[in-house]
């Protein structure tokens, strides 16, 4: 898909490396799924989300989650109009096309749960009235995996609303040298950020999604996905396995990955590429394995190795 290559090139003007992160974010927006970026401070999680939004000619908003943030600060509230003596709805920052929710685990459960309906059904119900979101609607949330003091862990039901949990790591040495060279004459990064231009609009995004719907996935690969998800529910190292929503997420995102890679059919490599980001926040290790320091990805990769790859 040439459009995906153009988007990568634009984001690459600012973001060095993180190829898998960019591809997974593209997969999310092409399939209409929300993504959660998890990584240490300073690895460009927020910047990557902002640059992706810049390549799309739609509205963008950012919400910084804090401990004192209320649901009405995110969704909006009813405001009394003195002129006509009536209440009217004032939309919150979530009423946009691409919404960056920064440090989502900094706000308590009451505010986090305000996103449940809007993430799943693309609508907000306030004071008995339902407000529909415009197309497209895409949430990119970020969180820091190490600073847990003063944070509120996302409940499993809310994590399940995210298509991917993308773990953003540190750059390689060669990439870090490239970052320093790129920004040594642009202290704030403003000049470089302004070079990123819009590549596509809402209509072109919808056309891409129609292409992805028609990507072929053969029955053997559908069975492969089903077996992968099924095995997570009966694995001795997992306390909680993945639901059918995870199976659908793997299938849809593997179709999008195939399209991004320029194919009209899905391969086992596409499925393996998306399996860990789809499953790593939907399954839970047993307490014993967690205490041993085992990672969820280790179990997922082990399951993938156990299943015979379709020919």
């Amino acid at each position: 898909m040439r459009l995906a290559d153009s988007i990568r090139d634009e984001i690459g003007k600012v973001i060095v490396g993180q190829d898998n992160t960019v591809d997974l974010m593209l997969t999310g927006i092409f399939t209409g799924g929300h993504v959660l970026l998890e990584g240490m401070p300073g690895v460009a999680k927020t910047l990557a989300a902002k640059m992706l939004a810049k390549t799309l000619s739609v509205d963008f908003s950012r919400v910084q989650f804090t401990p004192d943030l209320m649901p009405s600060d995110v969704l909006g509230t009813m405001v009394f109009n003195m002129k006509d003596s009536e209440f009217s709805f004032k939309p919150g920052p979530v009423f946009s096309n691409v919404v960056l929710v920064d440090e989502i685990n900094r706000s308590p459960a009451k505010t986090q749960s305000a996103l449940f309906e809007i993430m799943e059904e693309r609508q907000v119900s306030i004071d008995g009235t339902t407000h529909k979101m415009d197309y497209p609607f895409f949430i990119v949330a970020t969180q820091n995996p190490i600073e847990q003091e003063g944070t509120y862990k996302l409940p499993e039901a809310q994590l399940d609303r995210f298509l991917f949990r993308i773990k953003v790591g540190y750059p390689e040495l060669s990439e870090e040298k490239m970052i320093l060279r790129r920004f040594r004459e642009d202290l704030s990064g403003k000049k470089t950020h302004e070079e990123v231009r819009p590549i596509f609009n809402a209509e072109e995004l919808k056309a891409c999604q129609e292409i992805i719907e028609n990507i072929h996935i053969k029955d053997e690969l559908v069975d492969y996905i089903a077996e992968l998800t099924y095995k997570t529910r009966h694995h001795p190292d997992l306390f909680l396995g993945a639901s059918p929503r995870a199976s659908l997420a793997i299938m849809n995102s593997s179709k999008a990955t195939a399209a991004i890679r320029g194919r009209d059919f899905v391969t086992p490599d596409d499925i393996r590429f998306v399996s860990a980001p789809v499953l790593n926040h939907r399954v839970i290790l047993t307490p014993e394995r967690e205490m041993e320091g085992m990672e969820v990805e280790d179990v997922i990769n082990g399951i993938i190795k156990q299943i015979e790859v379709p020919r």
Side-chain angles (χ1 to χ4, degrees), residues 183 185-191 193:
F183 292 99
E185 295 177 358
D186 185 10
L187 298 181
S188 65
K190 186 178 179 181
K191 297 177 190 174
H193 297 176

Side-chain angles (χ1 to χ4, degrees), residues 237 285-295:
D237 294 333
L285 289 169
T286 60
E288 296 82 9
R289 294 294 175 263
E290 195 168 0
M291 290 178 65
E292 292 172 4
M294 180 180 283
E295 296 286 340

Side-chain angles (χ1 to χ4, degrees), residues 85-140:
S85 299
E86 290 184 356
F87 282 94
S88 59
F89 177 63
K90 182 181 179 182
V94 80
F95 279 82
S96 188
N97 297 115
V98 179
V99 182
L100 171 60
V101 179
D102 223 358
E103 298 286 359
I104 190 172
N105 57 338
R106 292 289 172 193
S107 287
K110 184 177 182 179
T111 304
Q112 291 174 4
S113 61
L115 298 175
F116 267 86
E117 181 184 12
I118 199 168
M119 290 179 70
E120 183 65 20
E121 301 176 33
R122 268 65 173 181
Q123 66 181 34
V124 174
S125 300
I126 294 179
D127 200 26
T129 303
T130 299
H131 305 270
K132 296 285 186 181
M133 306 304 296
D134 292 333
Y135 176 88
F137 179 68
F138 178 59
I139 287 181
V140 183

Side-chain angles (χ1 to χ4, degrees), residues 11 27 39 56 62 64 87 98 107 110 113 115 125 166 190 203 212 230 232 243 257 265 268 273 296:
I11 296 175
T27 300
L56 183 57
R62 173 179 175 176
Q64 182 69 50
F87 282 94
V98 179
S107 287
K110 184 177 182 179
S113 61
L115 298 175
S125 300
I166 305 170
K190 186 178 179 181
E203 289 74 23
I212 290 168
Y230 180 81
T232 65
S243 69
T257 299
F265 59 92
F273 176 70
V296 167

Side-chain angles (χ1 to χ4, degrees), residues 43 73 76 101-102 107 119-120 149 174 181 209 226 241 243-244 258 267 278 304 307:
V43 293
D73 297 327
V101 179
D102 223 358
S107 287
M119 290 179 70
E120 183 65 20
E149 186 175 347
S174 59
R181 290 190 175 97
Q209 290 177 338
S243 69
T267 68
V278 167
I304 290 174
I307 305 172

Side-chain angles (χ1 to χ4, degrees), residues 192-223:
T192 311
H193 297 176
E194 289 175 350
E195 293 177 6
V196 178
R197 59 188 177 87
I199 294 295
F200 64 129
N201 54 34
E203 289 74 23
E204 290 169 317
L205 176 59
K206 187 169 287 187
C208 290
Q209 290 177 338
E210 290 173 358
I211 292 171
I212 290 168
E213 285 179 355
N214 294 317
I215 296 293
H216 178 68
I217 178 167
K218 60 184 182 179
D219 289 342
E220 292 84 354
L221 291 178
V222 172
D223 295 342

